[in-house]
């Protein structure tokens, strides 16, 4: 999470923009006195020639009533807009660590140090003897114009979130050890393990980039075998390397047709209950339904929580 300076909140809404390869999502949540937010906007536009600044302005104009009075705003970076690296924690004070990361990443990411902006998060469990952090790095040159547009809309830009962090807010109810398989068109699959509502393991697997394009006939012919292998690897790492309790279930957040044959195929391979990830009740009326909006929705939940915690 790339935290940014926050201003006082004078709005009853929070606004989140989420970047995808060729589209931009907007989600607006309304604060409520109860613990459940109200989803008032969930929309997207196609983006031409990578012009995301114009797309942000377009959506902000369409939903201008929610962008008044400096609402909390956040930006979610899709997998193609950042690089995630597990790194041995440098022996530095916390106050110095984030600023030093761009130099520590010199040989690990494709951004030059002068163009690299980075921050980190920590997972709750690690292998014995390890002290690693998960670093999120992005291009300053790409981020700067996007943040300038957001600051034009509000003085309360809360954070920049990575997709792997944003979707975690959608699995806060995963109490038992659960493997989540998440993948969107033309991008790497994310294999994540959750327990007690917390992200425990995160793996990006490029070999799963074409899973979304499988036909049912291909599924019947074993097309989901690579996914089964990666789910098993994630579970084995959690159970054997991290020495945690066994995985109890598998949740799918894939842009595949929600057909029983997919669940049956994976259940037969894994021997575990397999089900489709569910949208929270407050999101079901306006949600897209194919998980393409999961990162935007999760980012909005995280934004609301951060703004309320100011």
């Amino acid at each position: 999470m790339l935290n940014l300076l926050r201003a006082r909140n004078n709005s009853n809404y929070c606004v989140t923009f989420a970047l995808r390869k060729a589209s931009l999502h907007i989600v607006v949540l309304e604060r409520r006195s109860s613990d459940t937010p109200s989803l008032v906007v969930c929309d997207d536009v196609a983006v031409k020639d990578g012009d995301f600044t114009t797309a942000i302005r377009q959506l902000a104009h369409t939903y201008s009533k929610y962008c008044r009075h400096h609402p909390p705003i956040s930006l979610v970076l899709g997998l193609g807009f950042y690089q995630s690296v597990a790194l041995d924690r440098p022996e530095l004070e916390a106050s110095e660590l984030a600023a030093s990361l761009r130099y520590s990443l010199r040989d690990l990411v494709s951004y030059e140090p002068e163009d690299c902006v980075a921050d980190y998060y920590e997972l709750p469990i690690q292998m014995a003897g390890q002290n690693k952090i998960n670093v999120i790095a992005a291009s300053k040159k790409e981020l700067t114009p996007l943040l300038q547009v957001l600051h034009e809309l509000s003085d309360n830009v809360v954070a920049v979130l990575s997709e792997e962090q944003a979707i975690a807010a959608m699995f806060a109810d995963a109490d038992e050890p659960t493997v989540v398989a998440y993948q969107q068109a033309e991008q790497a699959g994310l294999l994540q393990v959750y327990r007690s509502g917390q992200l425990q393991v995160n793996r990006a697997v490029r070999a799963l980039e074409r899973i979304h394009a499988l036909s049912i006939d291909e599924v019947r012919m074993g097309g989901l075998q690579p996914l089964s292998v990666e789910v098993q690897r994630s579970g084995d790492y959690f159970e054997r390397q991290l020495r945690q309790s066994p995985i109890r279930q598998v949740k799918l957040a894939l842009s595949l047709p929600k057909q029983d044959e997919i669940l049956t195929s994976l259940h037969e391979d894994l021997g575990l209950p397999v089900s489709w990830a569910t949208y929270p009740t407050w999101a079901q009326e306006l949600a897209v339904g194919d998980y393409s909006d999961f990162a935007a929705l999760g980012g909005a939940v995280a934004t609301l929580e951060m703004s309320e915690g100011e």
Side-chain angles (χ1 to χ4, degrees), residues 123-127 195 200-201 237-238 242 244:
L123 296 173
I125 52 174
Q126 300 201 30
M127 290 178 59
R195 184 185 61 185
Q200 310 281 319
V201 175
Y237 177 76
F238 182 72
L242 299 180
Q244 302 299 307

Side-chain angles (χ1 to χ4, degrees), residues 154-165:
S154 173
D155 288 339
N156 195 10
V157 180
V158 174
V160 178
L161 297 160
S162 65
E163 188 165 8
E164 66 196 56
Q165 294 171 285

